[in-house]
Amino acid sequence: MIILEIAIVLGAIYLGARMGSMGVGFAGGVGVLILTAGLGLKPGNIPIDVILIIMSVITAIAAMQVSGGMDYLVSLAEKLLRKHPKQITFLAPVVTYFMTLFAGTGHTAFSTLPVIAEVAKEQGIRPSRPLSIAVVASQVAITASPISAAVVFFSGILDPFGVDYLVLLAVCIPSTFLACMVGAVVANLMGKELADDPIYQDRLAKGLVKKRGTTQITIKPGAKRSVMIFLMAIAAVMVYATAISDKVGLIVNPVLPRDAAIMVLMLTAAAAITIFCKLDASEISNAGTFKSGMSACVCVLGVAWLGDTFVSNHINEIKDLAGNLLQSQPWLLSVTLFFASMLLYSQGATTKALMPAALAIGVSPLTAVASFAAVSALFVLPTYPTLLAAVEMDDTGSTRIGKAVFNHPFLIPGVVTIATSVALAFLFGGMML
């Protein structure tokens, strides 16, 4: 029966991957239906907390986008990239990393990818190099963002083990950022020089490669104000989390737990942006970030529910099978998370589905924290939206997906980045935990 149930879980994930986008969530619901109504398993926990955090954060980000705040941030990123164009392969991941860290969603990379591709072309640099590591950095940074659903949920289940929110960030931020820089070094060595690439030369001869030049972005009057409000909300989240942490203890028995505080502060930020930037609230639901965020909620709902349904019904078997192995070979947790996230398409869903089970079977908090970055292997299958966008925006043909599916420029820099992050997190975590 367990083999049949695993086949159903994998089949649902495969079906979702074929449908794409929210289809992953739809297929997760189908899997839950078959496992429960069909095979009699007890339904797992619905990841309501993760979904509500995503919704509240995305609402504030969408309000900031409508007010022009995202355009303002992109204009700052473009100035940085054009000021040091020869260093595009190293600056591009810095930009996408910190935009994701700041916003709590990797979809912010969409707005910077065209700039990265254009600056690379202007300098005769193979665009696949900066684009590949920029996409990877935008995914890995989720595990270091103070307001991402994955970080907030993971810190919550780590609290009983004496690892609070601030310690988790103190390990994850430096380890993931330094790992992205190592990934950039690897990406900079990938592929032929642009001038030597026959596919580029063929496209150039056919007139398929266009030079757009500097883009002119009109900054709306309330753009800077919306960014400041959003920054203040993030700062408030950090300050409040510090004040209520057991190690600081400035606020004892807080009225609002951390998760609820994040939701309240993000919704308040959305309200403040709407009021002070004079927005029409009805426009916010049409923002690209809002649509992608709500799509992510559906994916997390279906996939994480499916994963928890299977795991919660077989936690004892999993403990007997994997407990001793993970105790003796702790690095295998990162491998498990890597392949799971490759299929689940969501850091939040992977964290919700597997991390509680890992801690329940006796995996040490250090191992769990160090392996956390491995939930970001969304770049392996060339079907993730930001990856596809990077391929589409590079008209030189250098950022291409090979016939073997896995032979694309994102794979090696991504694997190196995650492996380095896990190794560094074991090092930093060993000092702090």
Side-chain angles (χ1 to χ4, degrees):
M1 286 300 293
I2 291 179
I3 294 174
L4 175 60
E5 292 161 12
I6 292 173
I8 291 169
V9 171
L10 294 177
I13 293 171
Y14 175 75
L15 175 63
R18 291 291 302 269
M19 288 192 286
S21 187
M22 287 191 291
V24 178
F26 302 160
V30 173
V32 172
L33 178 64
I34 296 173
L35 290 178
T36 54
L39 301 182
L41 269 62
K42 182 181 178 181
N45 294 318
I46 299 174
I48 295 174
D49 45 359
V50 175
I51 292 170
L52 293 179
I53 290 168
I54 293 174
M55 288 177 64
S56 56
V57 171
I58 287 297
T59 300
I61 294 171
M64 183 174 66
Q65 182 181 16
V66 172
S67 69
M70 292 299 295
D71 288 338
Y72 173 63
L73 291 174
V74 171
S75 70
L76 295 179
E78 181 169 7
K79 288 178 183 177
L80 173 65
L81 295 174
R82 291 191 180 280
K83 188 175 181 180
H84 306 283
K86 294 293 184 183
Q87 305 302 318
I88 184 72
T89 305
F90 298 94
L91 290 177
V94 171
V95 168
T96 56
Y97 179 93
F98 281 104
M99 287 188 72
T100 298
L101 189 81
F102 167 70
T105 171
H107 289 119
T108 53
F110 282 117
S111 54
T112 57
L113 294 177
V115 178
I116 294 168
E118 196 61 30
V119 173
K121 277 194 300 183
E122 290 172 1
Q123 298 300 313
I125 295 171
R126 187 180 181 86
S128 63
R129 294 172 178 173
L131 285 172
S132 61
I133 189 60
V135 168
V136 169
S138 72
Q139 296 175 359
V140 173
I142 286 291
T143 59
S145 172
I147 57 174
S148 75
V151 167
V152 174
F153 172 78
F154 189 38
S155 67
I157 63 174
L158 284 173
D159 274 340
F161 296 88
V163 181
D164 66 16
Y165 176 72
L166 298 176
V167 173
L168 176 63
L169 292 177
V171 173
C172 292
I173 292 176
S175 61
T176 53
F177 178 74
L178 292 174
C180 288
M181 294 301 96
V182 174
V185 172
V186 173
N188 204 39
L189 302 173
M190 299 291 294
K192 298 179 179 178
E193 294 300 325
L194 190 60
D196 300 328
D197 191 327
I199 293 180
Y200 166 68
Q201 294 297 338
D202 180 62
R203 293 180 64 83
L204 189 65
K206 293 178 179 177
L208 299 176
V209 180
K210 308 293 183 183
K211 294 288 182 71
R212 301 175 182 85
T214 304
T215 55
Q216 296 296 325
I217 301 176
T218 302
I219 305 300
K220 296 180 180 179
K224 295 181 181 180
R225 192 178 303 125
S226 69
V227 172
M228 287 304 300
I229 292 171
F230 192 76
L231 280 173
M232 290 170 62
I234 294 177
V237 168
M238 297 290 290
V239 170
Y240 186 78
T242 302
I244 68 173
S245 69
D246 293 335
K247 293 187 177 180
V248 177
L250 292 177
I251 300 176
V252 182
N253 298 322
V255 176
L256 283 174
R258 185 186 58 247
D259 292 9
I262 291 174
M263 297 175 205
V264 167
L265 288 168
M266 288 295 112
L267 292 174
T268 301
I273 292 171
T274 302
I275 294 168
F276 294 111
C277 298
K278 300 177 181 179
L279 302 182
D280 180 354
S282 64
E283 295 180 3
I284 294 175
S285 61
N286 294 321
T289 49
F290 185 87
K291 293 177 180 179
S292 62
M294 294 308 107
S295 175
C297 286
V298 175
C299 291
V300 170
L301 169 60
V303 171
W305 194 8
L306 173 63
D308 194 76
T309 296
F310 176 78
V311 170
S312 62
N313 279 272
H314 297 290
I315 187 65
N316 291 328
E317 292 95 327
I318 294 171
K319 186 174 182 178
D320 292 339
L321 179 65
N324 293 332
L325 183 61
L326 287 175
Q327 288 290 339
S328 60
Q329 305 290 337
W331 56 272
L332 285 175
L333 176 60
S334 62
V335 176
T336 303
L337 294 172
F338 182 94
F339 284 104
S341 64
M342 181 181 82
L343 297 172
L344 297 181
Y345 282 141
S346 167
Q347 295 93 333
T350 306
T351 304
K352 177 73 177 181
L354 297 181
M355 279 302 196
L359 293 170
I361 64 177
V363 169
S364 71
L366 172 59
T367 298
V369 171
S371 302
F372 186 35
V375 304
S376 301
L378 283 59
F379 55 81
V380 177
L381 296 176
T383 52
Y384 198 73
T386 47
L387 186 153
L388 293 174
V391 173
E392 186 68 25
M393 291 170 186
D394 180 10
D395 59 8
T396 68
S398 70
T399 312
R400 54 184 178 264
I401 300 169
K403 293 181 180 179
V405 180
F406 291 99
N407 56 333
H408 54 74
F410 306 87
L411 184 61
I412 295 176
V415 172
V416 169
T417 297
I418 286 183
T420 304
S421 181
V422 171
L424 289 174
F426 268 111
L427 176 64
F428 297 151
M431 300 175 184
M432 299 181 197
L433 301 178

